[in-house]
């Protein structure tokens, strides 16, 4: 992961780099650093912790320069420490920031140690900067030295590199990790994500795999993987610089939970004419692709994978579309057999998740002819690499724990089920029912958000707990999985989800008065089965917390607490039941005093394996 920013300008770039780093903290936040060139000297500052720690260091001991690079880190090789923080330096002249993993670093390091290089970090990145140093001895300039260096690197990288002897050029390159160039007026920037540069420009060049670029004050030269001059278009971003404001909310996560009615309304906006879903929303040749497909394979990670699991119930139950769902990191190495004419559907908030991207590439290698991505970031790699695209339009999601991205993924998947299902067994009547439910969804979510106070009170019972079980059945089982993931990632309480019918096959042994069992209990055809599973918990003295349809009467005796959820129709019910579980995790985490928006050890965009 990690976030990179860099710039060459006629003004001091340090404030721009710092602002950029803050906007990239979702990519990692265990240490940060920057380096600038001033009067042919390299100045570097690094600090353990978040960007604000680096900012404090720079406040106490300022540096400035018109060219520089900066980095916020999510540790892969070497623990979080100042010594391992980027930029890494060679010969007091060259500095490098890196996002990605160099797989052959041990081999390069052995050679460099023999050449007399001293290593000051445990990172894989340090070999890059020493390699550039070596290459510079025989090269004309930094650009040539970097071109030479990248030929030796195996793995993934996005790099920003400066040389104190060449203060008029910033060199950048990428392979397997994202990097954009921000085009200013008489100034150029680089960053891992457009959001980092929105305060200075809305014009961007997206580097392609293997590109190497040299940025000067008034020009940029780009070379492709074959070292040919490449013409990359300048693209205007639609994002506004203040899209990432926390408003009056205490945390981004709470803001994003409350944004869900609006986000879902945005998802649906303009995609229906006379209540009929327009298939060109997925791309101009979408209808043709949908006409040809015989099955769906969904690939995703984490929360996005849970969205895929819900969609499988919809695809198969409502439309009889054969649908498989797999965690991308497993699919990519499993040597799977793909049925002919399978539509590969990737789901990703960021569009940069390395495993999901690699799984898509693997599917293409296996002969998949059709791909579609459900994504929240228009300029992302997955969007660029997929034939069809349906944007979730959730707006920027800053909290590391995904909330509005998940529910908009679900709404978007329902659109896909309608479009594909029409070719299978989805009846006109069911389509109309689903459409009507989708349009009612923002209002229904507003109602569920009213449960906030009750859930906050409920959360007080959790602060001391070590473990929790989540139960659900059918399409609500993945919702239980999502509830457990949210709780563990932001409150650090160990939580697991089970399909309620599995309880008796092992997990029941865990039940005692200290084990809260959170159950998702909508009023559907599986309710009677679920009631029996809840009785099994009650009979063993377990503490049941049931999110239950308001029309139902309590279902078990003993230690049971009920939060009544407004009644909704079957199809959209999994989306609705997500909201109280998000609120529960949020309030538990606040009570526990964890870092809600940036939980330990995690990052928002997982661009490494
Ligand atoms: C959890 C969470 C992660 C992501 C996962 C995939 O709240 O956000 O599990 O869902 O890292 O990320 P994307 O969706 O960006 O591919």
């Amino acid at each position: 992961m990690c976030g990179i920013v860099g710039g060459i300008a006629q003004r001091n770039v340090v404030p721009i780099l710092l602002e950029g780093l803050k906007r990239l903290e979702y990519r990692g936040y265990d240490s940060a650093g920057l380096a600038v060139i001033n009067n042919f000297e390299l100045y570097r500052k690094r600090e353990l912790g978040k960007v604000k720690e680096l900012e404090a260091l720079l406040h106490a001991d300022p540096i400035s320069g018109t060219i520089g690079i900066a980095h916020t880190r999510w540790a892969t090789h070497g623990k979080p420490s100042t010594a391992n923080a980027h930029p890494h330096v060679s010969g007091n002249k060259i500095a490098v920031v890196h996002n990605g993993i160099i797989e052959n670093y041990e081999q390069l390091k052995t050679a460099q140690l023999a050449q007399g290089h001293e290593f000051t970090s445990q990172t894989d990145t340090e070999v890059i900067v020493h390699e550039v140093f070596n290459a510079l001895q025989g090269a004309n300039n930094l650009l040539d030295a970097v071109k030479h260096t990248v030929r030796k690197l195996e793995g993934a990288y996005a790099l920003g590199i400066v040389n104190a002897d060449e203060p008029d050029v910033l060199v950048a390159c990428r392979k397997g990790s994202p990097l954009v160039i921000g085009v200013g007026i008489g100034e150029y920037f680089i960053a891992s994500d457009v959001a980092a540069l929105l305060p200075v420009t809305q014009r961007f060049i997206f580097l392609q795999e293997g590109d190497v670029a040299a940025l000067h004050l008034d020009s940029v030269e780009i070379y492709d993987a074959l070292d040919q001059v490449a013409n990359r278009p300048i693209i205007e971003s639609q994002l506004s610089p203040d899209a990432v404001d926390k408003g009056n909310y205490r945390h981004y996560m709470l803001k994003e939970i409350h944004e869900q009615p609006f986000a879902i309304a945005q998802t649906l906006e303009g995609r229906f004419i006379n209540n009929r879903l327009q298939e060109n929303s997925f791309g101009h040749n979408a209808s043709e692709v949908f006409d040809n497909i015989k099955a769906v394979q969904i690939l995703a990670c984490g929360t996005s994978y849970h969205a895929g699991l819900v969609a499988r119930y919809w695809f198969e139950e409502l439309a009889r579309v054969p649908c498989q769902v797999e965690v991308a990191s497993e699919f990519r190495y499993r040597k799977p057999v793909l049925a002919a004419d399978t539509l590969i559907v990737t789901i990703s908030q960021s569009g940069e998740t390395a495993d999901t991207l690699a799984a898509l590439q693997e599917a293409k290698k296996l002969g998949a002819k059709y791909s579609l991505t459900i994504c929240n970031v228009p300029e992302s790699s997955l969007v660029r690499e997929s034939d069809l695209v349906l944007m979730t339009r959730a707006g920027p999601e800053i909290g590391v724990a995904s909330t509005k991205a998940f529910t908009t993924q679900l709404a978007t998947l329902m659109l896909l089920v309608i479009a594909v299902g029409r070719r299978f067994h989805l009846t006109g009547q069911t389509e109309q029912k689903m459409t009507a439910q989708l349009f009612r969804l923002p209002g229904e979510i507003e109602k569920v958000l009213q449960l906030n106070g009750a859930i906050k009170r409920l959360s007080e019972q959790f602060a001391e707990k070590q473990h929790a079980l989540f139960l659900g059945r059918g399409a609500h089982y993945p919702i239980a999985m999502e509830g457990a993931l949210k709780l563990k990632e932001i409150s650090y309480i160990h939580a697991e989800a089970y399909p309620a019918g599995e309880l008796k096959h092992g997990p029941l042994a865990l039940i005692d008065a200290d084990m809260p069992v959170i159950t998702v209990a909508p009023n559907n055809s599986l309710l009677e089965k679920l009631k029996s599973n809840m009785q099994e918990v009650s009979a063993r003295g377990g503490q049941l917390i049931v999110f239950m349809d308001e029309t139902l009467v309590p279902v078990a005796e003993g230690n049971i607490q009920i939060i009544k959820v407004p009644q909704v129709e079957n199809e959209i019910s999994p989306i609705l039941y997500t909201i109280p579980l998000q609120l529960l995790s949020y309030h538990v985490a606040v009570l526990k005093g964890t870092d809600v928006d940036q939980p330990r050890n995690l990052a928002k965009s997982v661009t490494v394996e």
Side-chain angles (χ1 to χ4, degrees), residues 441-463:
L441 194 51
E444 300 292 351
I445 296 179
E446 290 287 4
K447 286 191 222 156
V448 179
L449 287 169
Q450 307 298 317
L451 296 172
N452 187 43
I455 294 172
K456 188 173 177 195
R457 285 190 293 282
L458 178 72
S459 67
E460 283 158 22
Q461 299 168 21
F462 274 80

Side-chain angles (χ1 to χ4, degrees), residues 268-286:
L268 303 178
E269 176 64 27
R271 288 176 167 161
F272 290 80
I273 296 181
N274 294 333
N275 282 335
R276 185 164 170 86
L277 174 66
Q278 299 302 295
E279 294 185 352
N280 58 8
S281 307
F282 298 83
H284 72 278
N285 62 336

Side-chain angles (χ1 to χ4, degrees), residues 30-46:
D30 62 47
S31 54
L34 62 77
V36 289
I37 301 172
N38 198 332
N39 210 10
F40 296 95
E41 293 285 339
L42 191 66
Y43 295 88
R44 172 174 67 158
K45 295 281 178 198
R46 298 178 297 168

Side-chain angles (χ1 to χ4, degrees), residues 265-304:
Q266 284 293 109
T267 305
L268 303 178
E269 176 64 27
R271 288 176 167 161
F272 290 80
I273 296 181
N274 294 333
N275 282 335
R276 185 164 170 86
L277 174 66
Q278 299 302 295
E279 294 185 352
N280 58 8
S281 307
F282 298 83
H284 72 278
N285 62 336
S287 298
E288 214 177 300
V289 171
F290 295 155
D291 283 346
N292 286 321
I293 62 164
K294 300 209 167 51
V296 169
Q297 169 74 62
I298 298 178
L299 301 169
C301 303
T303 289
S304 300

Side-chain angles (χ1 to χ4, degrees), residues 26-27 174 177-181 191-196 198 201-208 233-240 348-353 357 373 375-386 389 391-392 395-396:
Y26 71 88
R27 303 177 70 87
R174 72 162 287 245
S177 299
L179 199 68
V180 296
I181 295 178
S192 303
D193 176 346
V194 296
L198 288 173
T201 184
Q202 286 188 298
R203 301 171 72 223
F204 296 95
I205 297 171
F206 292 88
L207 290 180
Q208 306 284 307
I234 296 179
I235 303 204
E236 199 85 31
S237 172
Q238 303 306 318
L239 289 168
S240 79
S348 174
Q349 187 284 129
S350 63
E352 299 295 347
T353 301
L357 259 170
T373 193
C375 189
N376 196 37
V377 180
E379 293 94 354
S380 64
S381 305
L382 268 174
V383 168
R384 279 179 278 130
E385 291 194 23
S386 303
V389 173
M391 299 309 301
T392 43

Side-chain angles (χ1 to χ4, degrees), residues 281-360:
S281 307
F282 298 83
H284 72 278
N285 62 336
S287 298
E288 214 177 300
V289 171
F290 295 155
D291 283 346
N292 286 321
I293 62 164
K294 300 209 167 51
V296 169
Q297 169 74 62
I298 298 178
L299 301 169
C301 303
T303 289
S304 300
Y305 167 66
H306 296 157
L309 288 176
V310 176
R312 179 170 59 187
Y313 287 91
W314 290 335
F315 269 121
E316 300 204 333
E317 219 171 285
L318 304 174
R320 312 303 296 153
V321 179
C323 176
Q324 308 236 23
V325 190
E326 190 162 357
V327 166
S329 57
E330 284 299 308
F331 179 91
R332 64 182 287 195
Y333 292 118
R334 193 172 58 80
K335 306 263 176 289
V337 178
L338 270 184
D341 299 320
T342 295
L343 175 68
I344 305 297
V345 176
T346 54
I347 309 172
S348 174
Q349 187 284 129
S350 63
E352 299 295 347
T353 301
D355 284 320
T356 310
L357 259 170
L360 170 62

